[in-house]
Amino acid sequence: MTVLLAVLALCVLAGLWCIAVYNGLVRTRNIVVEARSGMDVQLKRRADLVPNLVETVKSYMGHERGVLESVTGLRAKIDATADPDSRLAMEGQLGTALSRLFAVAENYPALRASENFLSLQQELAAIEGELQLARRYYNGAVRDFNTRIQSFPANLVAGSLGFTAAPSFEIENPADRDTPKVRFDGGGDS
């Protein structure tokens, strides 16, 4: 009878441990989903700002069509793409295209002096800052989740219940890691 109670107690403890591990995995996975959502909110704010920025710039620099078309084309592709990983890659390309747009805008003093352009530029800079924070939070949440599902003994439960590693946000194009040299004071090289 004592052996039966001991085996039963071990089974109950093992079951409780599995439940605790499962709940912890679900909690950290939900944090990753929340972090991804926060990043998507900032990306949406940036995407909503792009048409206003393009319209403002278009009136000043109509012959810089390639830069404008690149920005608007990428925004349209992002809106049409459902795959989150593909969207993230294109969002990085959009950031690069926006940097090129601002670099070209240096050649237009009237545009740089435009109150509307300056306001949009400041708003975009604020959104980019928030987006950087959201990306760091997301990558931290992914790191914690991936560490949890890969650590022993939780990996025994995670693997059997279908928990898989979440992808971190990474820049696809190594050239995008370089800091763009953009100046709005009219001097220097771009």
Side-chain angles (χ1 to χ4, degrees):
M1 184 72 157
T2 308
V3 172
L4 182 61
L5 285 176
V7 169
L8 185 60
L10 283 175
C11 288
V12 168
L13 285 175
L16 290 174
W17 176 79
C18 286
I19 290 170
V21 168
Y22 176 79
N23 288 341
L25 291 169
V26 168
R27 186 174 27 264
T28 53
R29 181 181 58 193
N30 288 341
I31 290 171
V32 168
V33 170
E34 174 198 9
R36 179 63 178 253
S37 176
M39 200 165 53
D40 285 344
V41 166
Q42 298 308 321
L43 292 170
K44 176 69 172 137
R45 285 181 60 208
R46 182 174 72 176
D48 289 346
L49 183 66
V50 168
N52 294 333
L53 183 62
V54 168
E55 285 304 313
T56 300
V57 171
K58 193 185 294 183
S59 63
Y60 287 91
M61 47 189 247
H63 65 281
E64 301 284 358
R65 220 143 174 76
V67 175
L68 295 172
E69 288 172 356
S70 171
V71 170
T72 55
L74 279 168
R75 183 179 182 274
K77 280 173 55 178
I78 290 167
D79 287 345
T81 302
D83 177 45
D85 294 331
S86 297
R87 287 180 66 106
L88 277 180
M90 285 188 272
E91 289 291 351
Q93 293 171 2
L94 179 60
T96 302
L98 287 170
S99 294
R100 280 195 309 269
L101 177 71
F102 283 120
V104 169
E106 284 184 45
N107 299 324
Y108 298 88
L111 174 61
R112 288 193 325 262
S114 164
E115 213 172 286
N116 194 18
F117 178 74
L118 292 175
S119 171
L120 290 168
Q121 179 186 356
Q122 289 169 350
E123 192 174 342
L124 183 62
I127 290 171
E128 289 295 331
E130 301 253 345
L131 185 53
Q132 181 183 23
L133 291 173
R135 286 176 177 149
R136 278 193 288 203
Y137 178 69
Y138 171 77
N139 280 344
V142 166
R143 179 201 59 231
D144 293 346
F145 176 69
N146 289 347
T147 299
R148 185 170 227 156
I149 66 170
Q150 294 167 356
S151 297
F152 182 81
N155 64 345
L156 301 174
V157 175
S160 63
L161 295 176
F163 287 89
T164 58
S168 294
F169 175 79
E170 295 180 14
I171 293 177
E172 303 254 333
N173 182 357
D176 290 343
R177 295 182 200 285
D178 298 336
T179 304
K181 293 179 175 100
V182 179
R183 293 183 59 181
F184 293 97
D185 60 1
D189 53 314
S190 58

PDB file of all heavy atoms in Angstrom, residues 154-170:
ATOM      1  N   ALA A 154      12.564  21.279 -19.424  1.00  0.00           N
ATOM      2  CA  ALA A 154      11.372  21.819 -20.089  1.00  0.00           C
ATOM      3  C   ALA A 154      11.323  21.430 -21.562  1.00  0.00           C
ATOM      4  O   ALA A 154      10.237  21.316 -22.145  1.00  0.00           O
ATOM      5  CB  ALA A 154      11.326  23.337 -19.946  1.00  0.00           C
ATOM      6  N   ASN A 155      12.479  21.206 -22.182  1.00  0.00           N
ATOM      7  CA  ASN A 155      12.485  20.825 -23.596  1.00  0.00           C
ATOM      8  C   ASN A 155      11.773  19.492 -23.831  1.00  0.00           C
ATOM      9  O   ASN A 155      11.268  19.244 -24.921  1.00  0.00           O
ATOM     10  CB  ASN A 155      13.906  20.805 -24.156  1.00  0.00           C
ATOM     11  CG  ASN A 155      14.793  19.773 -23.504  1.00  0.00           C
ATOM     12  OD1 ASN A 155      14.491  19.224 -22.439  1.00  0.00           O
ATOM     13  ND2 ASN A 155      15.925  19.512 -24.135  1.00  0.00           N
ATOM     14  N   LEU A 156      11.713  18.626 -22.815  1.00  0.00           N
ATOM     15  CA  LEU A 156      10.992  17.359 -22.960  1.00  0.00           C
ATOM     16  C   LEU A 156       9.497  17.604 -23.131  1.00  0.00           C
ATOM     17  O   LEU A 156       8.839  16.969 -23.956  1.00  0.00           O
ATOM     18  CB  LEU A 156      11.240  16.472 -21.733  1.00  0.00           C
ATOM     19  CG  LEU A 156      12.701  16.115 -21.440  1.00  0.00           C
ATOM     20  CD1 LEU A 156      12.802  15.373 -20.124  1.00  0.00           C
ATOM     21  CD2 LEU A 156      13.282  15.325 -22.590  1.00  0.00           C
ATOM     22  N   VAL A 157       8.975  18.536 -22.371  1.00  0.00           N
ATOM     23  CA  VAL A 157       7.552  18.881 -22.474  1.00  0.00           C
ATOM     24  C   VAL A 157       7.303  19.709 -23.728  1.00  0.00           C
ATOM     25  O   VAL A 157       6.352  19.468 -24.469  1.00  0.00           O
ATOM     26  CB  VAL A 157       7.084  19.652 -21.209  1.00  0.00           C
ATOM     27  CG1 VAL A 157       5.659  20.126 -21.356  1.00  0.00           C
ATOM     28  CG2 VAL A 157       7.247  18.780 -19.978  1.00  0.00           C
ATOM     29  N   ALA A 158       8.177  20.700 -23.979  1.00  0.00           N
ATOM     30  CA  ALA A 158       7.987  21.599 -25.121  1.00  0.00           C
ATOM     31  C   ALA A 158       7.973  20.831 -26.438  1.00  0.00           C
ATOM     32  O   ALA A 158       7.102  21.046 -27.283  1.00  0.00           O
ATOM     33  CB  ALA A 158       9.083  22.655 -25.137  1.00  0.00           C
ATOM     34  N   GLY A 159       8.933  19.940 -26.614  1.00  0.00           N
ATOM     35  CA  GLY A 159       9.007  19.180 -27.856  1.00  0.00           C
ATOM     36  C   GLY A 159       7.804  18.282 -28.065  1.00  0.00           C
ATOM     37  O   GLY A 159       7.272  18.181 -29.163  1.00  0.00           O
ATOM     38  N   SER A 160       7.355  17.653 -27.000  1.00  0.00           N
ATOM     39  CA  SER A 160       6.227  16.729 -27.141  1.00  0.00           C
ATOM     40  C   SER A 160       4.899  17.466 -27.340  1.00  0.00           C
ATOM     41  O   SER A 160       3.945  16.886 -27.857  1.00  0.00           O
ATOM     42  CB  SER A 160       6.140  15.814 -25.922  1.00  0.00           C
ATOM     43  OG  SER A 160       5.879  16.568 -24.750  1.00  0.00           O
ATOM     44  N   LEU A 161       4.846  18.738 -26.955  1.00  0.00           N
ATOM     45  CA  LEU A 161       3.602  19.498 -27.116  1.00  0.00           C
ATOM     46  C   LEU A 161       3.635  20.455 -28.307  1.00  0.00           C
ATOM     47  O   LEU A 161       2.743  21.274 -28.482  1.00  0.00           O
ATOM     48  CB  LEU A 161       3.286  20.270 -25.832  1.00  0.00           C
ATOM     49  CG  LEU A 161       2.975  19.378 -24.622  1.00  0.00           C
ATOM     50  CD1 LEU A 161       2.770  20.230 -23.380  1.00  0.00           C
ATOM     51  CD2 LEU A 161       1.752  18.520 -24.884  1.00  0.00           C
ATOM     52  N   GLY A 162       4.675  20.357 -29.126  1.00  0.00           N
ATOM     53  CA  GLY A 162       4.709  21.114 -30.370  1.00  0.00           C
ATOM     54  C   GLY A 162       5.183  22.553 -30.264  1.00  0.00           C
ATOM     55  O   GLY A 162       4.964  23.336 -31.186  1.00  0.00           O
ATOM     56  N   PHE A 163       5.838  22.927 -29.185  1.00  0.00           N
ATOM     57  CA  PHE A 163       6.384  24.272 -29.084  1.00  0.00           C
ATOM     58  C   PHE A 163       7.654  24.332 -29.928  1.00  0.00           C
ATOM     59  O   PHE A 163       8.539  23.491 -29.783  1.00  0.00           O
ATOM     60  CB  PHE A 163       6.719  24.635 -27.629  1.00  0.00           C
ATOM     61  CG  PHE A 163       5.513  24.904 -26.781  1.00  0.00           C
ATOM     62  CD1 PHE A 163       4.893  23.877 -26.098  1.00  0.00           C
ATOM     63  CD2 PHE A 163       5.002  26.182 -26.676  1.00  0.00           C
ATOM     64  CE1 PHE A 163       3.782  24.114 -25.315  1.00  0.00           C
ATOM     65  CE2 PHE A 163       3.897  26.435 -25.891  1.00  0.00           C
ATOM     66  CZ  PHE A 163       3.275  25.396 -25.213  1.00  0.00           C
ATOM     67  N   THR A 164       7.739  25.306 -30.827  1.00  0.00           N
ATOM     68  CA  THR A 164       8.924  25.461 -31.671  1.00  0.00           C
ATOM     69  C   THR A 164       9.513  26.853 -31.473  1.00  0.00           C
ATOM     70  O   THR A 164       8.819  27.779 -31.050  1.00  0.00           O
ATOM     71  CB  THR A 164       8.577  25.268 -33.162  1.00  0.00           C
ATOM     72  OG1 THR A 164       7.577  26.217 -33.524  1.00  0.00           O
ATOM     73  CG2 THR A 164       8.070  23.862 -33.432  1.00  0.00           C
ATOM     74  N   ALA A 165      10.780  26.979 -31.797  1.00  0.00           N
ATOM     75  CA  ALA A 165      11.483  28.249 -31.621  1.00  0.00           C
ATOM     76  C   ALA A 165      10.846  29.338 -32.479  1.00  0.00           C
ATOM     77  O   ALA A 165      10.428  29.095 -33.614  1.00  0.00           O
ATOM     78  CB  ALA A 165      12.953  28.084 -31.989  1.00  0.00           C
ATOM     79  N   ALA A 166      10.769  30.531 -31.920  1.00  0.00           N
ATOM     80  CA  ALA A 166      10.244  31.698 -32.636  1.00  0.00           C
ATOM     81  C   ALA A 166      11.407  32.409 -33.319  1.00  0.00           C
ATOM     82  O   ALA A 166      12.520  32.431 -32.795  1.00  0.00           O
ATOM     83  CB  ALA A 166       9.538  32.634 -31.668  1.00  0.00           C
ATOM     84  N   PRO A 167      11.158  33.015 -34.486  1.00  0.00           N
ATOM     85  CA  PRO A 167      12.248  33.715 -35.181  1.00  0.00           C
ATOM     86  C   PRO A 167      12.495  35.097 -34.569  1.00  0.00           C
ATOM     87  O   PRO A 167      11.560  35.800 -34.209  1.00  0.00           O
ATOM     88  CB  PRO A 167      11.719  33.843 -36.607  1.00  0.00           C
ATOM     89  CG  PRO A 167      10.239  33.892 -36.455  1.00  0.00           C
ATOM     90  CD  PRO A 167       9.930  33.006 -35.269  1.00  0.00           C
ATOM     91  N   SER A 168      13.756  35.460 -34.470  1.00  0.00           N
ATOM     92  CA  SER A 168      14.118  36.805 -34.028  1.00  0.00           C
ATOM     93  C   SER A 168      14.023  37.753 -35.210  1.00  0.00           C
ATOM     94  O   SER A 168      14.115  37.327 -36.363  1.00  0.00           O
ATOM     95  CB  SER A 168      15.556  36.830 -33.502  1.00  0.00           C
ATOM     96  OG  SER A 168      15.673  36.059 -32.346  1.00  0.00           O
ATOM     97  N   PHE A 169      13.848  39.036 -34.917  1.00  0.00           N
ATOM     98  CA  PHE A 169      13.896  40.034 -35.981  1.00  0.00           C
ATOM     99  C   PHE A 169      15.350  40.284 -36.316  1.00  0.00           C
ATOM    100  O   PHE A 169      16.151  40.610 -35.449  1.00  0.00           O
ATOM    101  CB  PHE A 169      13.236  41.350 -35.548  1.00  0.00           C
ATOM    102  CG  PHE A 169      13.391  42.429 -36.581  1.00  0.00           C
ATOM    103  CD1 PHE A 169      12.572  42.447 -37.679  1.00  0.00           C
ATOM    104  CD2 PHE A 169      14.381  43.379 -36.466  1.00  0.00           C
ATOM    105  CE1 PHE A 169      12.727  43.412 -38.656  1.00  0.00           C
ATOM    106  CE2 PHE A 169      14.545  44.351 -37.434  1.00  0.00           C
ATOM    107  CZ  PHE A 169      13.713  44.372 -38.531  1.00  0.00           C
ATOM    108  N   GLU A 170      15.693  40.099 -37.572  1.00  0.00           N
ATOM    109  CA  GLU A 170      17.051  40.343 -38.042  1.00  0.00           C
ATOM    110  C   GLU A 170      16.987  41.085 -39.349  1.00  0.00           C
ATOM    111  O   GLU A 170      16.048  40.910 -40.129  1.00  0.00           O
ATOM    112  CB  GLU A 170      17.804  39.022 -38.246  1.00  0.00           C
ATOM    113  CG  GLU A 170      18.038  38.254 -36.967  1.00  0.00           C
ATOM    114  CD  GLU A 170      18.787  36.958 -37.196  1.00  0.00           C
ATOM    115  OE1 GLU A 170      19.354  36.770 -38.298  1.00  0.00           O
ATOM    116  OE2 GLU A 170      18.802  36.140 -36.276  1.00  0.00           O
TER     117      GLU A 170
END
